[in-house]
Amino acid sequence: MDLTTFWFGAIAFLFVGYFVLEGFDFGVGVLMRTMGRDDAERRLLLGTIGPVWDGNEVWLITGTGAMFAAFPHWYASVFSGFYLPMLLILLALIVRGVAIEFRGKRPDHAWRARWDLAILVGSLLPALLWGLVFANIVRGVPLAADHDYAGGLTDLLNPFALLGAATFGAVFVLHGAVFVALKTTGEVRDRANTLASRFGPVAVALLLGFLAWMLIGVRRDPVAAGLGIAAAVAAVAALGANRRRREGWAFAGTAAAIGLTVVALFTALYPAVLPSTTDPAGTLTVANAAASAYPLKVMTVVAGVFLPLVLLYQGWTYWVFRKRLAVTR
């Protein structure tokens, strides 16, 4: 395996970690006002992600940083062509982070209600926009022969990308509901389990439709098809486990469904990193988008030293905060 292929796989791994971990953060943020009937329950829901949400965002920083260093042309084309969605994601994440930190600063109902709304918007908007972005990446966008984005905003709002947005948003909400059921006790746990049972079929139906469209109508790849089928099986299994109140297995199922879907996206995309829908000469691949050999070698050494340490630290964090939480009034 050459270093360009290795770093394409490494970036896929980082985005798998980001969407699996930040996915339930987004889901909890979207559901906080719905499942939390009073301030005590909303504080409980926020407490389920409180120790880990900012650590989960490190996966995004690392993934985009690796994209910038390993595939600078890919990074430039994506972040220029997708400028508005990326800007909105950044602003939403900033608002969400501020809201999580500032919500508890004053014991005022109106104050906390405004920040709760900010958490909802700051969680839902990135979930939808990441689906839009990744659906467009795998589908392809208008690129000129010099790899510059040659389309407009309306080119990004195609039916496949909109389905991708709806799918990511729905699956993250399901993932969040299952996580709440896993991390809480009493009425909140029951409520989360019921919500996951009722909303789960909608999320899974969207996921099946998105995967089928991608693997039949956009990118036909046998390996990606196998991964997509595995993702669908994991999603259905998660619903079954949730109905039996096996929250640990249900969470493993939704996490596997998200992870396998992202891997299927990257597998279907390879060896391209950003296909051109207009001029084939404009397609970016792992070969023509990559940095030179020396920086890739340096990155590989650095990643080999520090990535295991980061994974161990984050795993330790989840282990320390593994216990269920109860409402305190």
Side-chain angles (χ1 to χ4, degrees):
M1 181 188 297
D2 59 39
L3 288 180
T4 56
T5 300
F6 170 81
W7 276 102
F8 180 81
I11 291 168
F13 170 75
L14 291 168
F15 275 103
V16 166
Y18 175 65
F19 287 131
V20 168
L21 298 177
E22 188 83 315
F24 68 74
D25 283 357
F26 289 149
V28 173
V30 172
L31 294 171
M32 202 172 82
R33 287 164 58 94
T34 302
M35 283 197 300
R37 294 182 176 176
D38 56 30
D39 186 66
E41 290 186 351
R42 291 179 183 179
R43 282 189 284 107
L44 171 67
L45 292 170
L46 198 57
T48 63
I49 63 172
V52 298
W53 70 268
D54 47 356
N56 293 341
E57 292 187 349
V58 172
W59 290 81
L60 174 62
I61 297 169
T62 308
T64 54
M67 183 188 292
F68 170 76
F71 299 100
H73 299 296
W74 185 18
Y75 178 92
S77 294
V78 167
F79 278 79
S80 59
F82 298 66
Y83 180 80
L84 182 57
M86 290 296 192
L87 177 62
L88 291 175
I89 288 172
L90 177 61
L91 293 176
L93 292 177
I94 292 172
V95 168
R96 175 172 167 266
V98 171
I100 291 173
E101 296 294 337
F102 274 71
R103 182 189 186 277
K105 297 298 183 183
R106 289 171 54 183
D108 178 71
H109 176 75
W111 169 272
R112 293 185 175 183
R114 286 193 293 268
W115 288 121
D116 289 345
L117 179 60
I119 292 172
L120 189 156
V121 174
S123 301
L124 180 60
L125 191 60
L128 297 174
L129 290 175
W130 278 125
L132 183 84
V133 166
F134 270 83
N136 274 302
I137 288 175
V138 74
R139 173 184 177 271
V141 294
L143 293 175
D146 58 0
H147 310 303
D148 286 339
Y149 183 70
L153 179 61
T154 55
D155 293 291
L156 303 180
L157 302 178
N158 56 80
F160 178 68
L162 294 175
L163 177 60
T167 300
F168 272 53
V171 172
F172 288 165
V173 168
L174 172 62
H175 195 38
V178 171
F179 180 75
V180 171
L182 176 66
K183 286 289 293 178
T184 59
T185 62
E187 290 185 9
V188 175
R189 177 188 178 186
D190 295 339
R191 213 175 296 144
N193 185 273
T194 299
L195 190 149
S197 295
R198 292 177 178 175
F199 181 73
V202 176
V204 172
L206 286 170
L207 179 63
L208 293 176
F210 175 71
L211 288 170
W213 193 343
M214 180 187 75
L215 297 170
I216 297 173
V218 177
R219 301 281 164 201
R220 293 190 178 186
D221 182 279
V223 177
L227 291 166
I229 292 170
V233 170
V236 173
L239 295 185
N242 180 73
R243 289 186 181 276
R244 296 191 301 273
R245 297 184 68 94
R246 301 291 298 274
E247 288 97 348
W249 286 108
F251 182 75
T254 54
I258 293 170
L260 289 167
T261 297
V262 177
V263 175
L265 286 168
F266 276 88
T267 301
L269 188 61
Y270 184 83
V273 293
L274 188 61
S276 173
T277 57
T278 50
D279 186 352
T283 293
L284 283 167
T285 67
V286 293
N288 64 22
S292 59
Y294 181 73
L296 292 178
K297 290 179 182 178
V298 173
M299 289 173 59
T300 304
V301 173
V302 172
V305 173
F306 289 103
L307 184 58
L309 297 177
V310 173
L311 293 176
L312 285 172
Y313 174 75
Q314 190 160 38
W316 175 80
T317 302
Y318 275 89
W319 175 255
V320 169
F321 295 101
R322 67 189 182 278
K323 293 183 179 180
R324 291 182 182 269
L325 304 178
V327 175
T328 55
R329 300 186 187 277

